[in-house]
Amino acid sequence: MSELRAVGPGSGTAPGGTAGPNASGPGGSCGPGPTTPLPSPGPGGGNATRGEGGTLGPGGPAPGGVASASGGSSSSASVSTGSASGSAREGWLFKWTNYIKGYQRRWFVLSNGLLSYYRSKAEMRHTCRGTINLATANITVEDSCNFIISNGGAQTYHLKASSEVERQRWVTALELAKAKAVKMLAESDESGDEESVSQTDKTELQNTLRTLSSKVEDLSTCNDLIAKHGTALQRSLSELETLKLPAESNEKIKQVNERATLFRITSNAMINACRDFLMLAQTHSKKWQKSLQYERDQRIRLEETLEQLAKQHNHLERAFRGATVLPSNASGSMDSNKDRCFPSKGDLSDEDDDNEFFDAPENITMPENMGHKRTGSNISGASSDISLDEQYKHQLEDTKKEKRTRIPYKPNYSLNLWSIMKNCIGKELSKIPMPVNFNEPLSMLQRLTEDLEYHELLDRAAKCESSLEQLCYVAAFTVSSYSTTVFRTSKPFNPLLGETFELDRLEENGYRSLCEQVSHHPPAAAHHAESKHGWTLRQEIKITSKFRGKYLSIMPLGTIHCIFHATGNHYTWKKVTTTVHNIIVGKLWIDQSGEIEILNHKTSEKCILKFVPYSYFSRDVARKVTGEVLDSLGKVHFVLLGTWDEKMDCFRVTTTSMENGSDSRQRVHEAEDSRVMLWKRNPLPKNAENMYYFSELALTLNAQENGTAPTDSRLRPDQRLMENGRWDEANAEKQRLEEKQRISRKRREAEAMKATEDGTLYDPYKALWFERKKDPDTKEVAHVYRGGYWESKEKQDWSMCPDIF
């Protein structure tokens, strides 16, 4: 990448609207300016800010100092720690609100991994203005007084403390609370937002309190006995004192008497402390029950509101289609000619709204003659005149070729979205049985393999002599993996335990890849790719997802490793959060948000990428990504600018000396002669909107191949049936496979329990092609490819593969 040359002075503004070193932060001068290489934008810089009541408000210029924004002295923002309410921290902070274009003082409460705020402390009894979950939040410090908390685009709080010390106290408390919340989320096997407390839980709580009360009574009895025997002991000691004994003996008796008195006092203090503990437990038990009841009521109200919205949306959509229906005599003459899979858009259902919102069974069958109704998806399959039978013939012809360029078009079966999703709010979606109507005909293993669509970026990076230039290409490769998600609103199939997927492109592109599902709960997939061009890519990804009513958050957990053989440069990074909006009502759309730090463990050089969350009121381009490439000393050498769905450009940063002897960085990203395009997205295939918006690579991933392992995703029957448009059979087959997987898991659990009872060693489940190892650089334990797959494929020896299909 020798064309990444330096540019001279006279530069424009920084990419992403980043201010120069003399720019002030969004709250006025509360201290020194930002010191980080890539300061976060202020309230008017493109983040999705929320006004009071959780309503999105337009961004705007930052206000002045704290005193003017609050209408009073900033010293009033006192903070108390360890309050009687049990909060980790609570106190006054200044929050940016779009309603009055400035900072306003709000009472913030940090408790149990949640940060809530109120207009005043008294308002805590009846109203909460907003709450943000720290488990999925990013905490960014802007300057000495300002900091930002964002959970990936849905909520962003711009906050200001009264002083740098108060800001640091809050940031420290928030970071500790976030670490604890993330740990609890990782350790929890079940969904974090379960149903409200059940009757069994209440009974267990009451039994615990009764047991505590009984134990306190036992302690009280023991205390009475101690008092009784202590009195008798003191009486005996007093009698001994009246006897004519040597002076030395009398002194000893007095010491024993004093110690007996102290013992009685200590036992009384102990029983009093136990009683206080019991009273505290009883008091907090009532508070917990009230809080849980409140959460249950809130959930019910939310479900009712969402159901009404879904009904209104469905009614409006049907009314819109009804406006374009042909007259009854005309439509009746055409009924016999309608395609049963693709009827006209004017078809209306005679069902009323109440009948449409039924409880979702585990297995949902879709009649072949059911009409088309769009329920929140932006993918329409009714624009094609080709029948499924003809498409299947084309597919069989394409499988004979080296690479296929089309798959059967997606049928647009009717599905009541609300009947499925209303029972999923707040739950981990990987543990909920879902019909294939929500899926695309690819597994998560194949989606991971799609990260290699722009593998040529790593090929070019392997040829770089400069590690900083190499880091630019690695950053572009990282961003490119998100370009396939912009229209992909369907979910991939959850892989079965032991399922694999291979992609052998050694002859055409110089690389080959292998994925394996190595864990079922939590779901985890291991991926290994190696190239003859001198690089290896490996990752173990765990996907966690939560449905929040109007949006779905998908949080990949795990580290991605890229190693270049010639130099030994070892790069690692993690993925950002993906958010799917308008789940119930409206057109589905996807956003990426968060930060990625790509670290070269050999040289300590790094690149910081920021995925800017979408904001309706932002002037920035949508899906914007900015980045900076820094050396081991923190000096910026390259600036990256682009979008995660289109392209990434690179600009070299030069340093010029000022007259006073200081250095000034010059950044130019407007002059075309300084621009180097690192990556540009490939165009989608023709008619991609009817083929799940698959890219050219994605269209080939599920093509049948000879010689693959019997556990390969291409051989999964429910996925194959779904791709061919036979969704009824696919749903039945999916249920069969999931039941087979449950039986296997129960058998392993029974074997483990039996081994524990017998005292024998039990060998837990181990992946076939991957093994757990500790990385020497990151110190993380993850599944790493152990070898042997390609040798087994060459010999066609698959005797060790489990029967999962």
Side-chain angles (χ1 to χ4, degrees):
M1 197 170 63
S2 59
E3 64 271 22
L4 294 179
R5 58 192 179 277
V7 296
S11 63
T13 57
T18 307
N22 297 324
S24 60
S29 57
C30 193
T35 57
T36 54
L38 188 63
S40 302
N47 281 318
T49 58
R50 280 192 179 270
E52 299 299 323
T55 305
L56 280 170
V66 176
S68 62
S70 64
S73 173
S74 63
S75 63
S76 62
S78 60
V79 180
S80 61
T81 307
S83 64
S85 62
S87 303
R89 189 171 185 82
E90 61 181 39
W92 293 105
L93 285 172
F94 294 91
K95 178 182 178 297
W96 176 268
T97 167
N98 286 324
Y99 281 109
I100 55 178
K101 300 295 184 182
Y103 282 93
Q104 288 293 298
R105 199 172 71 153
R106 296 290 180 260
W107 181 261
F108 279 81
V109 177
L110 172 61
S111 178
N112 299 324
L114 300 175
L115 180 66
S116 306
Y117 75 93
Y118 312 84
R119 282 184 180 271
S120 63
K121 190 174 181 179
E123 196 181 53
M124 293 174 61
R125 303 190 192 98
H126 53 84
T127 303
C128 178
R129 296 288 169 176
T131 300
I132 192 167
N133 190 343
L134 296 177
T136 57
N138 293 322
I139 303 169
T140 306
V141 176
E142 282 197 307
D143 56 23
S144 58
C145 295
N146 294 47
F147 59 101
I148 297 174
I149 304 175
S150 174
N151 69 348
Q155 291 171 292
T156 300
Y157 294 167
H158 293 267
L159 305 176
K160 179 191 288 291
S162 60
S163 66
E164 185 173 2
V165 175
E166 294 298 336
R167 188 265 296 161
Q168 188 57 45
R169 287 175 180 170
W170 272 103
V171 170
T172 301
L174 290 168
E175 291 288 359
L176 291 174
K178 177 182 177 181
K180 185 179 293 186
V182 171
K183 183 178 179 181
M184 291 177 63
L185 184 66
E187 291 177 351
S188 175
D189 182 52
E190 299 297 330
S191 175
D193 295 328
E194 292 291 345
E195 292 287 344
S196 297
V197 62
S198 64
Q199 188 63 36
T200 304
D201 297 329
K202 289 183 179 179
T203 304
E204 184 178 352
L205 186 61
Q206 293 170 357
N207 290 337
T208 302
L209 289 173
R210 278 197 293 268
T211 303
L212 283 174
S213 180
S214 175
K215 295 299 180 184
V216 171
E217 291 299 326
D218 293 342
L219 285 172
S220 182
T221 302
C222 293
N223 182 62
D224 293 340
L225 291 174
I226 289 173
K228 177 182 177 181
H229 294 306
T231 302
L233 176 60
Q234 286 181 319
R235 188 183 306 116
S236 300
L237 291 172
S238 299
E239 292 173 357
L240 286 175
E241 289 180 357
T242 60
L243 298 176
K244 293 183 179 180
L245 296 174
E248 184 179 351
S249 298
N250 286 333
E251 188 66 27
K252 291 291 184 184
I253 291 172
K254 287 182 179 179
Q255 291 180 4
V256 173
N257 199 355
E258 290 174 357
R259 290 176 181 175
T261 302
L262 290 174
F263 179 76
R264 290 181 61 190
I265 293 173
T266 305
S267 66
N268 283 329
M270 180 188 69
I271 192 64
N272 289 334
C274 291
R275 285 199 179 99
D276 291 343
F277 170 76
L278 179 61
M279 290 180 63
L280 187 64
Q282 291 173 339
T283 302
H284 279 276
S285 171
K286 294 177 181 178
K287 290 183 179 180
W288 294 336
Q289 291 183 17
K290 287 182 180 179
S291 299
L292 290 172
Q293 184 62 39
Y294 173 77
E295 292 298 330
R296 174 193 293 174
D297 296 340
Q298 289 287 92
R299 178 197 172 98
I300 292 174
R301 281 195 291 270
L302 175 62
E303 288 184 356
E304 291 174 351
T305 302
L306 288 174
E307 183 170 357
Q308 290 299 323
L309 286 173
K311 284 182 177 181
Q312 293 173 15
H313 172 70
N314 188 64
H315 176 74
L316 290 172
E317 192 173 69
R318 288 169 55 189
F320 172 75
R321 286 198 304 268
T324 60
V325 174
L326 293 174
S328 56
N329 56 350
S331 59
S333 63
M334 297 176 62
D335 284 344
S336 59
N337 298 325
K338 286 184 179 179
D339 191 315
R340 66 177 182 176
C341 291
F342 297 99
S344 67
K345 291 186 178 182
D347 288 346
L348 294 179
S349 171
D350 292 330
E351 294 177 317
D352 58 23
D353 289 342
D354 293 334
N355 290 333
E356 287 191 350
F357 292 93
F358 51 86
D359 290 335
E362 289 189 3
N363 181 25
I364 297 180
T365 58
M366 299 299 151
E368 292 185 3
N369 59 352
M370 188 175 288
H372 294 185
K373 289 190 292 183
R374 181 191 151 299
T375 56
S377 174
N378 62 339
I379 302 176
S380 174
S383 60
S384 171
D385 297 329
I386 303 177
S387 67
L388 289 177
D389 293 336
E390 293 175 346
Q391 295 170 26
Y392 186 55
K393 291 178 182 179
H394 282 297
Q395 184 209 11
L396 293 178
E397 295 174 358
D398 289 338
T399 54
K400 301 176 183 178
K401 304 174 184 178
E402 184 177 359
K403 294 181 182 178
R404 65 179 184 179
T405 58
R406 60 179 297 161
I407 60 173
Y409 285 177
K410 176 187 177 182
N412 198 10
Y413 286 128
S414 174
L415 176 68
N416 192 303
L417 187 64
W418 174 250
S419 64
I420 304 291
M421 301 304 290
K422 71 176 183 179
N423 295 319
C424 305
I425 297 176
K427 294 185 178 180
E428 171 61 57
L429 292 187
S430 63
K431 301 173 186 176
I432 300 171
M434 305 286 281
V436 299
N437 306 61
F438 287 91
N439 289 14
E440 62 182 17
L442 288 179
S443 74
M444 179 56 70
L445 304 181
Q446 291 164 315
R447 286 293 294 267
L448 277 180
T449 308
E450 283 191 68
D451 287 355
L452 299 172
E453 177 159 1
Y454 299 95
H455 60 89
E456 64 272 6
L457 290 171
L458 295 182
D459 297 342
R460 293 159 66 185
K463 299 177 182 178
C464 290
E465 297 180 359
S466 167
S467 58
L468 290 171
E469 293 182 1
Q470 187 178 74
L471 187 51
C472 292
Y473 282 113
V474 174
F477 174 79
T478 302
V479 176
S480 70
S481 62
Y482 296 96
S483 63
T484 61
T485 66
V486 63
F487 299 118
R488 302 275 285 278
T489 54
S490 300
K491 67 181 289 289
F493 279 79
N494 291 329
L496 303 174
L497 186 63
E499 185 175 334
T500 60
F501 178 73
E502 67 158 77
L503 184 64
D504 190 352
R505 295 289 174 86
L506 204 57
E507 294 183 2
E508 306 103 302
N509 306 115
Y511 73 89
R512 58 187 181 183
S513 163
L514 176 67
C515 291
E516 180 180 3
Q517 187 76 359
V518 296
S519 173
H520 184 60
H521 280 305
H527 180 207
H528 178 88
E530 54 190 4
S531 171
K532 63 182 181 182
H533 296 296
W535 54 266
T536 297
L537 185 77
R538 60 181 173 87
Q539 58 183 320
E540 179 182 345
I541 299 296
K542 300 179 181 68
I543 302 293
T544 62
S545 56
K546 290 293 178 65
F547 174 53
R548 300 297 185 185
K550 63 179 181 180
Y551 67 92
L552 170 69
S553 294
I554 302 170
M555 296 152 286
L557 305 176
T559 303
I560 306 171
H561 301 255
C562 184
I563 299 129
F564 292 95
H565 306 160
T567 60
N569 288 333
H570 180 187
Y571 299 91
T572 61
W573 65 91
K574 298 179 183 292
K575 291 180 177 287
V576 296
T577 299
T578 300
T579 307
V580 184
H581 295 270
N582 294 343
I583 295 294
I584 297 297
V585 179
K587 184 177 180 180
L588 295 175
W589 62 279
I590 290 178
D591 196 20
Q592 315 286 348
S593 59
E595 285 190 2
I596 295 179
E597 180 180 284
I598 308 172
L599 178 62
N600 185 344
H601 291 273
K602 182 180 178 182
T603 64
S604 296
E605 299 163 347
K606 62 182 178 181
C607 173
I608 299 177
L609 294 171
K610 181 172 183 180
F611 289 67
V612 181
Y614 174 79
S615 172
Y616 178 80
F617 302 100
S618 174
R619 296 178 181 178
D620 283 333
V621 64
R623 309 181 185 97
K624 181 179 178 180
V625 180
T626 62
E628 290 186 333
V629 176
L630 303 89
D631 61 18
S632 58
L633 301 177
K635 181 181 178 182
V636 178
H637 289 259
F638 295 98
V639 172
L640 307 179
L641 179 64
T643 58
W644 53 262
D645 66 326
E646 283 295 338
K647 64 176 182 176
M648 286 296 294
D649 294 329
C650 179
F651 312 90
R652 184 182 293 274
V653 175
T654 61
T655 303
T656 58
S657 298
M658 303 291 287
E659 294 181 0
N660 58 5
S662 61
D663 292 337
S664 173
R665 287 189 312 193
Q666 299 293 329
R667 300 178 183 175
V668 174
H669 64 272
E670 294 180 351
E672 287 299 324
D673 57 349
S674 68
R675 181 187 301 270
V676 176
M677 183 181 292
L678 299 175
W679 160 76
K680 185 177 181 180
R681 180 176 63 90
N682 297 327
L684 288 174
K686 185 179 180 181
N687 297 321
E689 66 277 5
N690 299 321
M691 299 184 291
Y692 308 88
Y693 284 94
F694 281 179
S695 64
E696 291 184 358
L697 174 64
L699 289 173
T700 67
L701 293 180
N702 207 43
Q704 293 177 334
E705 291 186 10
N706 296 325
T708 60
T711 54
D712 196 88
S713 299
R714 300 176 180 89
L715 303 176
R716 182 166 173 166
D718 56 345
Q719 186 172 304
R720 180 65 60 188
L721 288 167
M722 189 254 176
E723 181 185 276
N724 293 333
R726 299 157 65 181
W727 285 11
D728 294 345
E729 299 171 59
N731 274 315
E733 193 66 17
K734 181 174 182 287
Q735 189 178 25
R736 181 189 69 82
L737 292 175
E738 290 172 348
E739 182 60 29
K740 183 176 182 180
Q741 185 171 234
R742 279 191 288 269
I743 293 173
S744 298
R745 186 178 71 252
K746 290 179 181 177
R747 184 176 64 250
R748 288 194 301 271
E749 292 173 352
E751 292 173 355
M753 186 175 297
K754 183 179 179 182
T756 303
E757 294 173 353
D758 298 343
T760 58
L761 293 175
Y762 173 72
D763 192 14
Y765 177 82
K766 291 183 179 178
L768 187 58
W769 308 109
F770 290 80
E771 59 184 345
R772 288 175 60 83
K773 285 185 178 180
K774 184 176 182 180
D775 187 90
D777 291 328
T778 63
K779 310 302 180 184
E780 295 178 350
V781 178
H783 282 85
V784 180
Y785 179 57
R786 70 171 70 191
Y789 178 86
W790 304 106
E791 292 77 6
S792 297
K793 181 181 180 181
E794 185 177 353
K795 299 175 184 177
Q796 282 299 294
D797 179 15
W798 304 115
S799 56
M800 72 294 291
C801 292
D803 177 21
I804 61 175
F805 298 144

